[in-house]
Amino acid sequence: MEGKQERHQTKPIRCIVKLGGAAITCKNELEKINEESLDIVSTQLRQAMISGPSPSTKGPGMDWSKRHGESEVFCTEDDFGEDAFVDSSRFVVVHGAGSFGHFQASKSGVHKGGLGQPLVKAGFVATRISVTSLNLEIVRALAREGIPSIGMSPFTCGWSTSERNIASADLSMVAKAIDSGFIPVLHGDAVLDELQGCSILSGDVIIRHLAAQLKPEYVVFLTDVLGVYDRPPVEPNAVLLREIAVHDDGSWDVVKPVLQNMTKVETTVAAHDTTGGMMTKITEAAMIARLGIDVYIVKAATSYSLRALSGELRGNIPDDWFGTVIRFMS
């Protein structure tokens, strides 16, 4: 299996970004994208990627598909000069499914395995149709911002699981895309499982594996809430955890604010979510932090998310930034 892990990527990665499903879709409406949030996220990604002096300058769009209300596609050679492209080769994007895929997977039990059952096999197909359609729309949104994004599905790239843990992850095409100046856009996916036939590979698990292999400078989780709270954020008196320290043994403590009698973080998971919700995020983020990579969990499409994406938060976290930082402390 060594060849499947082989990669030739040489360019250093600056940031891996997780677009949370709840942040870019309307999670309780089947297959509905939150267009406003996705547009802002795409703009902020472009601004964070541009290393030059004019992050507000938008490059030529790369979505040349026919769109509603337009009869032709316009693009000329003059639009694409040497300075037309953003410095996107140092970013990788992974997105969750939100209201795409989760419903199909939970209705058919894809996450539990059993491909021999007709309902599960049908659900596997339906889940992949749903998540790849979302992937296409996210790639299109990024492309409209002038970001040379390439959709990459874990299933078709050769990723598989064993009891829902990654068994094989071929990063060769991801590495080649990065070195060719593209931004890979991966997603949570239905994949084959060596023991139970099939499973759901969550975007958070993908992020952790990519971080271990690509070693980015930092990782940003964009969510639909400000960060991690000591209890479900909809509850009264919920406290935003500003900084979490991860230790050598994988355990973690809340550093800021100082809380009394807190033994665990309480979370809620939507009934149709087959990937574990916020607790999975914290667990995966802690594993990334153990590698010495800072992780920022922050609300998407806010001034706080732009600052996190741009790398402003290295070192001390400013008092006027709201989100959760998870970092290693020996």
Side-chain angles (χ1 to χ4, degrees), residues 84-101:
F85 297 101
V86 298
D87 180 23
S88 57
S89 60
R90 286 161 53 78
F91 276 70
V92 176
V93 172
V94 181
H95 66 82
S99 61
F100 289 71

Side-chain angles (χ1 to χ4, degrees), residues 39-61:
D39 286 347
I40 296 172
V41 165
S42 300
T43 300
Q44 290 190 349
L45 277 168
R46 172 178 54 77
Q47 292 172 331
M49 290 173 186
I50 291 177
S51 54
S54 304
S56 60
T57 303
K58 183 174 177 178

Side-chain angles (χ1 to χ4, degrees), residues 1-327:
M1 301 292 281
E2 227 171 88
K4 291 211 168 193
Q5 300 291 339
E6 186 179 352
R7 58 189 178 84
H8 303 283
Q9 168 251 338
T10 56
K11 292 186 177 180
I13 297 298
R14 181 171 151 207
C15 178
I16 298 177
V17 184
K18 166 68 189 302
L19 306 185
I24 54 172
T25 72
C26 303
K27 201 156 186 182
N28 293 316
E29 290 189 57
L30 181 63
E31 297 191 343
K32 183 174 175 58
I33 294 173
N34 185 331
E35 301 279 0
E36 181 182 6
S37 179
L38 180 56
D39 286 347
I40 296 172
V41 165
S42 300
T43 300
Q44 290 190 349
L45 277 168
R46 172 178 54 77
Q47 292 172 331
M49 290 173 186
I50 291 177
S51 54
S54 304
S56 60
T57 303
K58 183 174 177 178
M62 299 177 194
D63 179 9
W64 300 349
S65 311
K66 183 177 178 181
R67 301 175 66 189
H68 292 298
E70 297 178 8
S71 58
E72 294 184 55
V73 173
F74 294 97
C75 62
T76 68
E77 189 174 344
D78 294 338
D79 293 330
F80 293 90
E82 290 184 5
D83 300 326
F85 297 101
V86 298
D87 180 23
S88 57
S89 60
R90 286 161 53 78
F91 276 70
V92 176
V93 172
V94 181
H95 66 82
S99 61
F100 289 71
H102 282 304
F103 288 104
Q104 290 85 347
S106 62
K107 289 280 187 186
S108 57
V110 170
H111 56 297
K112 299 176 183 177
L115 264 183
Q117 303 169 45
L119 176 62
V120 175
K121 183 168 287 185
F124 190 96
V125 172
T127 299
R128 296 214 66 255
I129 289 172
S130 187
V131 295
T132 53
S133 66
L134 174 61
N135 181 253
L136 176 60
E137 291 307 313
I138 290 171
V139 167
R140 292 183 69 177
L142 295 174
R144 288 194 291 270
E145 286 291 323
I147 299 171
S149 48
I150 299 290
M152 292 187 165
S153 293
F155 177 88
T156 51
C157 283
W159 293 51
S160 64
T161 57
S162 179
E163 289 189 320
R164 303 186 70 179
N165 294 312
I166 291 178
S168 174
D170 188 344
L171 294 182
S172 59
M173 284 308 299
V174 172
K176 287 176 182 176
I178 292 168
D179 276 351
S180 299
F182 293 108
I183 173 167
V185 184
L186 292 84
H187 59 87
D189 204 0
V191 297
L192 299 180
D193 188 280
E194 292 177 355
L195 295 178
Q196 63 180 39
C198 61
S199 67
I200 297 296
L201 179 60
S202 81
D204 298 327
V205 174
I206 293 169
I207 286 265
R208 187 240 300 169
H209 188 79
L210 289 175
Q213 296 298 314
L214 302 179
K215 297 185 170 49
E217 295 174 20
Y218 54 98
V219 170
V220 179
F221 285 78
L222 299 179
T223 71
D224 62 332
V225 291
L226 280 177
V228 179
Y229 289 79
D230 65 334
R231 68 199 74 183
V234 293
E235 291 188 9
N237 304 317
V239 177
L240 176 66
L241 309 182
R242 304 288 296 273
E243 187 170 347
I244 294 174
V246 180
H247 307 291
D248 280 317
D249 61 359
S251 63
W252 48 271
D253 301 312
V254 177
V255 178
K256 295 179 184 176
V258 177
L259 300 175
Q260 293 183 338
N261 303 321
M262 199 197 79
T263 57
K264 65 176 183 176
V265 174
E266 297 179 36
T267 62
T268 55
V269 179
H272 59 265
D273 193 336
T274 57
T275 58
M278 184 60 81
M279 189 52 75
T280 300
K281 245 177 216 61
I282 299 170
T283 303
E284 299 296 338
M287 291 182 184
I288 295 169
R290 281 182 73 189
L291 302 171
I293 301 167
D294 285 359
V295 179
Y296 310 116
I297 301 179
V298 62
K299 187 170 184 177
T302 62
S303 60
Y304 312 123
S305 59
L306 178 58
R307 293 169 72 180
L309 291 168
S310 300
E312 282 186 27
L313 306 178
R314 311 299 301 278
N316 292 327
I317 305 301
D319 290 337
D320 63 349
W321 183 82
F322 289 94
T324 301
V325 181
I326 301 180
R327 56 173 44 145

